[in-house]
């Protein structure tokens, strides 16, 4: 039942940017001066589900990947107060977010929107949704293994804003509906290269929720 509710009509995917100080410090276009993270809205066609392969488009090489915590919205909400935000999330998972790194740098240098590099079809490999971790979504460990080698691991406690604050922030601008997904960010954005024939496994608190190949 958790998985069946992922693909609802009109669902939105909100990608949180600059939510980890480590990522801000290493980014050339650091936005750590902001008092809170920003977000962009992705089309639902960015999602790759059910452990299907991710196919690297011709324009997306070199390609990078980052593991992130994804939180699913369970009910309709608008202008949600942070203290009530926990009522609006019903499941969590990990996701592998792919970026056309070379194209991204070109677009940033030209001052153009980033959509072509960060919001192309299939660029978010979404894991199997599970009940919210007993440790809470703000104290969860997300990890990524490529070809049997651990490459990324972090605790969501290091984030600038926790899931409930993010839900409150996004809901001030956009109505949240059942099935919407928040990608809560990563400190490893743009740092891990990935290529054809790689095998990726992403875990939440040690549980493998995503396991797929890159083609």
């Amino acid at each position: 039942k958790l998985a069946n509710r992922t693909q609802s009509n009109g669902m939105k995917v909100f990608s949180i940017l600059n939510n980890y100080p480590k990522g801000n410090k290493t980014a050339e276009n650091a936005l750590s001066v902001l008092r809170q993270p920003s977000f962009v809205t992705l089309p639902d066609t960015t999602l790759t589900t059910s452990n299907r392969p991710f196919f690297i488009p011709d324009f997306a090489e070199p390609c990078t990947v980052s593991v992130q915590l994804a939180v699913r919205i369970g009910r309709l909400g608008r202008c949600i107060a942070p203290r009530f935000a926990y009522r609006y999330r019903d499941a969590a998972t990990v996701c592998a977010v792919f970026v056309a790194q070379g194209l991204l740098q070109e677009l940033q240098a030209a001052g153009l929107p980033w959509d072509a590099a960060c919001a192309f079809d299939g660029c978010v490999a979404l894991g199997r949704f599970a009940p919210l971790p007993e440790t809470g979504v703000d104290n969860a460990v997300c990890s990524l293994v490529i070809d049997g080698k651990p490459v990324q691991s972090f605790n969501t406690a290091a984030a600038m804003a926790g899931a409930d604050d993010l839900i409150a922030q996004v809901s001030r601008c956009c109505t949240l509906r059942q099935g919407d997904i928040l990608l809560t960010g990563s400190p490893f954005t743009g740092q891990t290269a990935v290529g054809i024939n790689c095998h990726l496994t992403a875990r939440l608190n040690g549980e493998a929720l995503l396991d797929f190949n890159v083609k």
Side-chain angles (χ1 to χ4, degrees):
K1 292 182 179 179
L2 285 170
N4 291 339
R5 290 171 53 189
T6 300
Q7 301 293 340
S8 60
N9 292 332
M11 66 168 292
K12 300 182 292 295
V13 181
F14 298 98
S15 180
I16 306 299
L17 308 175
N18 306 293
N19 195 24
Y20 285 84
K22 180 179 178 180
N24 286 342
K25 291 178 181 178
T26 59
E28 292 181 2
N29 59 324
L31 297 178
S32 57
V33 294
L34 295 179
R35 294 184 179 180
Q36 60 186 8
S38 56
F39 70 90
V40 295
T41 305
L42 308 179
D44 57 10
T45 55
T46 58
L47 297 179
T48 297
T49 59
S50 303
N51 289 326
R52 295 186 180 93
F54 166 69
F55 293 87
I56 301 179
D58 292 340
F59 63 82
E61 296 185 281
C63 187
T64 61
V65 64
S66 63
V67 64
Q68 300 189 23
L69 174 75
V71 176
R72 192 179 62 193
I73 301 301
R75 58 190 291 191
L76 182 71
R78 166 81 171 153
C79 294
I80 302 165
R83 66 182 184 277
F84 297 129
Y86 72 95
R87 301 177 181 176
Y88 291 82
R89 46 179 170 84
D90 69 352
T93 190
V94 281
C95 59
V97 180
F98 295 90
V99 174
Q101 196 64 36
L103 178 57
L104 175 63
Q105 293 174 2
E106 292 177 9
L107 293 172
Q108 289 175 338
L112 297 174
W114 305 353
D115 301 59
C118 303
F120 54 90
D121 285 359
C123 68
V124 178
L126 192 66
R128 170 176 54 86
F129 275 101
L132 295 170
E134 293 184 1
T135 57
V137 290
D138 295 335
N139 186 25
V141 177
C142 301
S143 60
L144 178 67
V145 174
I146 299 180
D147 294 334
K149 179 182 178 181
V151 293
Q152 296 180 11
S153 181
F154 67 94
N155 193 308
T156 57
M160 293 171 56
D164 291 345
D165 287 334
L166 295 174
I167 290 172
Q169 177 188 343
V170 172
S171 72
R172 287 197 294 267
C173 305
C174 304
T175 298
L176 296 178
R177 293 189 173 95
Q178 185 179 23
D180 288 350
I181 297 170
L182 268 68
L183 313 181
T184 60
S186 170
F188 297 102
T189 301
Q191 297 182 29
T192 303
V194 67
I196 294 174
N197 295 327
C198 286
H199 181 82
L200 278 66
T201 302
R203 294 184 172 91
L204 179 61
N205 289 339
E207 181 181 2
L209 299 179
L210 180 61
D211 190 75
F212 68 104
N213 295 311
V214 175
K215 300 291 187 179

